[in-house]
Amino acid sequence: MAHEETIRYKATIAYDGTDFSGFQVQPSERTVQGEMEAVLKKINKGKFIRLHPSGRTDAGAHAAGMVFHFDYTRKIPEKGLFKAINTLISPDISLLKLERVADDFHARYHAKGKTYIYRIHNHELRDPFKRNFAYHHAYQIDKDRVEKALDILIGTHDFTSFCSTKTDKENKIRTIYDIVVEHDRESDEWQFIFYGNGFLYNMIRIIMGTVLPIADGRKEVEEMFKILEARDRNAAGKTLSANGLCLEKVHY
Amino acid sequence: MAHEETIRYKATIAYDGTDFSGFQVQPSERTVQGEMEAVLKKINKGKFIRLHPSGRTDAGAHAAGMVFHFDYTRKIPEKGLFKAINTLISPDISLLKLERVADDFHARYHAKGKTYIYRIHNHELRDPFKRNFAYHHAYQIDKDRVEKALDILIGTHDFTSFCSTKTDKENKIRTIYDIVVEHDRESDEWQFIFYGNGFLYNMIRIIMGTVLPIADGRKEVEEMFKILEARDRNAAGKTLSANGLCLEKVHY
């Protein structure tokens, strides 16, 4: 019998998070990791394969480019493996890319940065087609005010004010490289594109819940300085819902 | 006590049909009409109000502009009634417009025509975000061939070949005023916009199931003539899934 070669694969997937209890596997909950590991097990003739993600996403949050790695010892060519996974996986997940990588590649430790998009549907009326993919906000957003407030957060800061108190992470210092605001008048959709070296638990959702009252004039732009400096979760605004959040890309 | 005035309202709604067993009310099924009548009953202090739609939509099909009428005897101003309905209705339905109309207005009998859009996601890979709103087709679509085949159907014809045998309608003659094909290369989405005086049961879904094998070269354009002339459901293609179908507008 020939010696079985172990190959490490880097997988890039998209998923509609609406019907998942988040990415990370949990007993008796439907999770992206749970679904994906069940498929890998089927392909591996009943033998469990652990996948190692670049990170997690919350229940209801989406991904256009989540990355994970896994090791596989059978010698199916990439193309066959790619098709097999896409055939077996649930329709709310899609495998976009599968690449052979070096044995020491690690989806989490080697990630250099991440891009997230938070979407807001800014209209007096709700749109049933956007309800799972954008936060609905009825009051008018002032682009100039939003951009000024978000600019304050760009750079390396202690983001304690914008981190859920439920976290177990000690180090709250992160770098936001850029935040881009795009407004599409035709669809009434706003995109807030965050690019950083990493994001704390609920960080983008709390930033969005803090910037909205500034965006519609209920609070002053300068408040953002004070909130950042407070290093206190209570100083910031509410945590906006996860439906608006999408992990766009993991950078390596 | 003042005499209560009965007002007829014309309502325009949008809904994501994914989680509904169609528009028309059915016992122990979640339907758009069922949800809407439950809301009207609440607003009417527990007294049932029957709504009269412009037509039906299939389970899983959507609407961006479904119309119905109903009579209401309380004297709440339109704006209050509009807000009350939108507050009480499920998030997958949205009331877009509410207008007072003449007492003899009828949503179904007065409809002069309808516009439907059938969406196809044309890409080798599935997109989880489009799965409920577009039919996934992996083979390349030739715009010229589709347009030539669909042009054959424009005009007044006996559409028996494109009608579900489950219908109870005797008259299968309908007029299609126009069919417009739009292709967005960025999103890989095709829109097939049908404008006609009325459509038979499953008519657009069967037309789409017939045109696709022509669009990707499996069948000849001229086949469409023969299929139309056959006046036989078995001559046409399969019924494409309802997720791609959206009632865009009812014309009065």
Side-chain angles (χ1 to χ4, degrees), chain A residues 3-32:
Chain A
H3 178 70
E4 280 189 329
E5 190 196 1
T6 293
I7 297 164
R8 182 156 291 189
Y9 286 101
K10 176 191 174 194
T12 307
I13 61 169
Y15 50 87
D16 172 352
T18 307
D19 298 332
F20 289 107
S21 303
F23 184 89
Q24 196 180 32
V25 74
Q26 292 175 66
S28 67
E29 296 280 350
R30 186 174 185 255
T31 65
V32 178

Side-chain angles (χ1 to χ4, degrees), chain A residues 122-141:
Chain A
N122 189 212
H123 194 278
E124 204 189 334
L125 295 177
R126 289 178 298 102
D127 180 338
F129 299 105
K130 297 189 199 295
R131 78 189 189 287
N132 295 326
F133 309 107
Y135 177 84
H136 178 245
H137 187 65
Y139 310 100
Q140 222 180 331
I141 294 174

Side-chain angles (χ1 to χ4, degrees), chain A residues 137 139-142 145-146 211-219:
Chain A
H137 187 65
Y139 310 100
Q140 222 180 331
I141 294 174
D142 182 315
R145 290 175 67 88
V146 187
V211 87
L212 266 193
I214 298 174
D216 58 29
R218 284 174 285 165
K219 279 194 175 180

